[in-house]
Amino acid sequence: MNASQWQLFRKQLTQLSQRQRVISSDLLRDGASQDANITVIEQAAQAHLHCPACHSTHFHRHGHANQLQRYRCVPCGKTFNALSGTPLAHLRHKERWLAYAGCMLNSFSVRKAAEQVQVHRNTSFRWRHRFLSLARTDRPHCLHGIAEADEMYVLESQKGSRHLTRPARRRGGKARQRGISNDHVCVLVARDRTGQTVDFVSGPGQLTKAKLHSCLPPVIDRDILLVSDGHPAYPVFAREAGILHEAVNLRAGIRARGAIHVQNVNAYHSRLRQWLRPFHGVATRYLPNYLGWRWILDARRILSPESLLRATLGMFPHLSVT
């Protein structure tokens, strides 16, 4: 738009009706949001930009499409952009992604987030799990020093499934029998004294040494001190894994023996249960995503919508968790 066109446009603005001014304001706001999203997307892609088809880094610019720079791979000839091969590929409404990331950092429900950014609830649900698919993987690689481990159980849920493997039950229902059974899913959480936390959906039913062997060895040091409650699976696992183990007898009212306690991991369980409660039951197949979401909030490594959008594209904060 040249100078004369701009002057004419300014004069015409005063002739707009109230409704037209609201629509114009929305268009300008969406345009600014679109620009902000495109900037974050392009910046995040530059660090690891490559052809998703052949993984070559030999490419050249090839025009624009949908406000994004396109590239053409020299070896294979395929075209791609900054979103190709990422969880956000083929999604629309880029101008609303930052606003939606803000809803996730505020732990909004699917419907509340949909209302906030003005999308359908199904779109809101799809975006939730696309945003979490990579962001939830930003976890500690190894726990050090003293690590506390404890398990919690949540009711198995097939919410949203078209083909149930058991009779349907009402939301907030109960297990078919008392105590811990295969109607429950075991969530194992291990946390060291620096706050680094790993968690696993270890499967239905009670915790066993086999579940501990399948989860813990890759994420704990050989010289670690594992502290747990009195569950019999932990000492057997520790002996077979060749690591030190101490237990506290919570049933006898012994909550701590000096530095030997599980209060940190129990506090994390409490925060996790309280945070999950407003979702009114989480489908078991999506439970790892919710555990990752809770870790994002608890670790406070991702504090802004821009950081969450970058993490969704695989660009995590520079200070890595070790």
Side-chain angles (χ1 to χ4, degrees):
M1 180 181 293
N2 56 36
S4 59
Q5 290 174 327
W6 168 244
Q7 293 299 329
L8 179 61
F9 178 70
R10 289 184 59 184
K11 292 178 180 179
Q12 292 174 337
L13 283 177
T14 60
Q15 303 173 9
L16 296 178
S17 66
Q18 181 64 30
R19 180 173 179 275
Q20 290 170 335
R21 291 183 181 184
V22 171
I23 294 174
S24 300
S25 177
D26 291 341
L27 289 173
L28 290 173
R29 184 171 58 252
D30 288 346
S33 299
Q34 177 88 329
D35 292 342
N37 279 275
I38 296 301
T39 300
V40 172
I41 291 168
E42 297 285 11
Q43 289 177 350
Q46 292 305 316
H48 50 81
L49 193 63
H50 62 274
C51 173
C54 68
H55 305 289
S56 172
T57 56
H58 187 196
F59 52 83
H60 55 77
R61 295 176 183 271
H62 193 68
H64 286 77
N66 300 318
Q67 294 83 44
L68 288 173
Q69 174 69 55
R70 288 199 66 80
Y71 304 92
R72 187 179 186 89
C73 178
V74 173
C76 71
K78 296 291 182 70
T79 59
F80 61 96
N81 61 26
L83 293 178
S84 298
T86 72
L88 299 182
H90 310 299
L91 295 184
R92 300 181 180 181
H93 305 301
K94 301 180 187 66
E95 71 279 359
R96 304 178 190 181
W97 287 353
L98 283 178
Y100 190 81
C103 292
M104 293 200 61
L105 294 179
N106 287 314
S107 301
F108 284 2
S109 67
V110 165
R111 285 176 171 79
K112 186 174 181 180
E115 181 181 354
Q116 187 80 12
V117 300
Q118 298 181 348
V119 296
H120 193 270
R121 63 179 180 275
N122 292 348
T123 300
S124 176
F125 181 80
R126 186 183 307 112
W127 285 8
R128 168 182 289 183
H129 294 287
R130 292 286 189 96
F131 270 75
L132 292 172
S133 57
L134 270 184
R136 70 183 178 91
T137 64
D138 183 32
R139 292 301 192 94
H141 299 298
C142 194
L143 304 182
H144 308 279
I146 300 176
E148 304 170 20
D150 198 10
E151 71 283 354
M152 60 177 279
Y153 297 92
V154 296
L155 196 61
E156 182 266 348
S157 173
Q158 299 181 27
K159 185 167 67 173
S161 176
R162 295 180 182 272
H163 305 286
L164 300 180
T165 60
R166 52 162 174 75
R169 60 170 176 255
R170 293 180 180 273
R171 176 182 293 180
K174 298 180 180 179
R176 289 171 290 185
Q177 57 187 11
R178 297 180 63 181
I180 303 302
S181 66
N182 285 342
D183 287 342
H184 294 87
V185 177
C186 177
V187 177
L188 174 65
V189 178
R191 183 178 175 92
D192 67 21
R193 294 297 167 82
T194 66
Q196 306 307 313
T197 306
V198 292
D199 48 53
F200 309 89
V201 180
S202 60
Q206 283 278 4
L207 181 69
T208 63
K209 70 169 186 177
K211 293 178 180 179
L212 291 172
H213 275 293
S214 66
C215 298
L216 290 183
V219 296
I220 57 176
D221 271 348
R222 297 291 299 178
D223 60 349
I224 203 167
L225 172 59
L226 183 66
V227 182
S228 72
D229 59 13
H231 196 291
Y234 289 104
V236 178
F237 160 75
R239 184 170 60 251
E240 294 180 357
I243 61 175
L244 297 176
H245 173 256
E246 292 285 348
V248 289
N249 192 350
L250 298 180
R251 291 187 176 181
I254 303 173
R255 305 192 64 86
R257 300 197 319 272
I260 307 302
H261 61 79
V262 290
Q263 294 177 8
N264 289 326
V265 70
N266 285 340
Y268 188 84
H269 280 174
S270 178
R271 295 194 298 272
L272 176 59
R273 287 187 184 277
Q274 184 177 6
W275 179 78
L276 285 174
R277 193 170 296 118
F279 296 115
H280 302 293
V282 172
T284 299
R285 59 176 172 168
Y286 292 119
L287 186 54
N289 282 356
Y290 285 87
L291 295 177
W293 187 2
R294 179 60 222 173
W295 165 247
I296 288 172
L297 301 176
D298 198 78
R300 297 187 61 79
R301 282 172 45 76
I302 296 176
L303 298 174
S304 67
E306 292 80 6
S307 297
L308 180 55
L309 182 55
R310 292 189 185 96
T312 306
L313 300 174
M315 184 179 175
F316 299 113
H318 294 298
L319 182 61
S320 60
V321 176
T322 58

